[in-house]
Amino acid sequence: MEVLSAIISIIGIIVHIIQKADHSSYRSSSISYTDTTYQVVHEFTPQEKLDNMNIDSLNICYKTAGIANFSIENARRMLLNKYIQDDFYIDDIIIRQNCMYIKLMHSIPYKSVNKCYGASFSINFMTVNDGVSVYGSKKINADEEQVFKEIANELIKAVS
């Protein structure tokens, strides 16, 4: 009985080796392509996007201007459709009442080509005085603060 089980084990090992050899020779002689398309697993809701932007930290005013006949929806369209800026690009815009939250990518220094830094800004419209303010988060680094000031200037120019 032990001899029979040993023979079966040896035959199983030989079959396994033959299958592996056959599979590896088949792989090397054939060309295969892998489908690299990806499905969207989860699309963030506007509220989830705002949570990820950490909008509570947008408490430093970088630029304020008076703009007559300001429309937040027109400003949104201008930023998404017509405003082209090489120094940063807009990733997403979410509007809540008279406030627009903007997620963008920029570079440090401001005129550099590598836009690998993400930042969030808010553009707030005050109906009382037709004032528009651009808010961002506090920056400790002087270079980052300068970039934020320049982005705020560009945003104000774009929505004016």
Side-chain angles (χ1 to χ4, degrees):
M1 193 68 161
E2 290 179 27
V3 175
L4 183 59
S5 69
I7 293 173
I8 292 174
S9 296
I10 293 172
I11 291 173
I13 292 172
I14 293 172
V15 168
H16 182 71
I17 291 171
I18 291 171
Q19 285 176 341
K20 288 288 186 182
D22 184 47
H23 182 67
S24 67
S25 67
Y26 171 74
R27 260 191 156 176
S28 65
S29 66
S30 68
I31 298 173
S32 64
Y33 296 98
T34 304
D35 183 14
T36 58
T37 57
Y38 299 98
Q39 272 188 318
V40 175
V41 177
H42 175 73
E43 182 133 353
F44 287 107
T45 66
Q47 185 58 46
E48 289 172 324
K49 289 178 184 179
L50 286 176
D51 292 342
N52 287 331
M53 283 184 189
N54 195 12
I55 61 173
D56 291 335
S57 71
L58 305 178
N59 54 13
I60 304 299
C61 184
Y62 284 99
K63 182 73 176 177
T64 301
I67 301 174
N69 301 322
F70 180 81
S71 164
I72 201 139
E73 189 55 43
N74 288 344
R76 178 185 168 279
R77 276 192 227 110
M78 175 65 78
L79 288 173
L80 287 177
N81 297 329
K82 298 177 185 172
Y83 183 68
I84 299 170
Q85 178 66 23
D86 292 332
D87 300 323
F88 63 89
Y89 65 88
I90 295 174
D91 193 33
D92 199 6
I93 294 178
I94 299 169
I95 294 178
R96 291 284 188 259
Q97 295 177 342
N98 60 345
C99 184
M100 181 185 326
Y101 297 99
I102 303 167
K103 176 72 176 171
L104 55 83
M105 300 299 289
H106 65 90
S107 60
I108 300 175
Y110 184 60
K111 300 286 185 182
S112 180
V113 293
N114 189 10
K115 292 164 195 50
C116 60
Y117 297 96
S120 297
F121 289 87
S122 70
I123 296 178
N124 301 328
F125 177 62
M126 286 116 349
T127 55
V128 175
N129 61 357
D130 288 336
V132 177
S133 298
V134 177
Y135 286 88
S137 57
K138 180 174 175 61
K139 294 295 165 191
I140 297 171
N141 183 324
D143 292 336
E144 284 181 300
E145 187 174 339
Q146 184 60 37
V147 168
F148 274 36
K149 287 177 182 177
E150 293 189 42
I151 289 172
N153 286 334
E154 289 295 325
L155 290 172
I156 289 288
K157 278 196 280 186
V159 299
S160 296

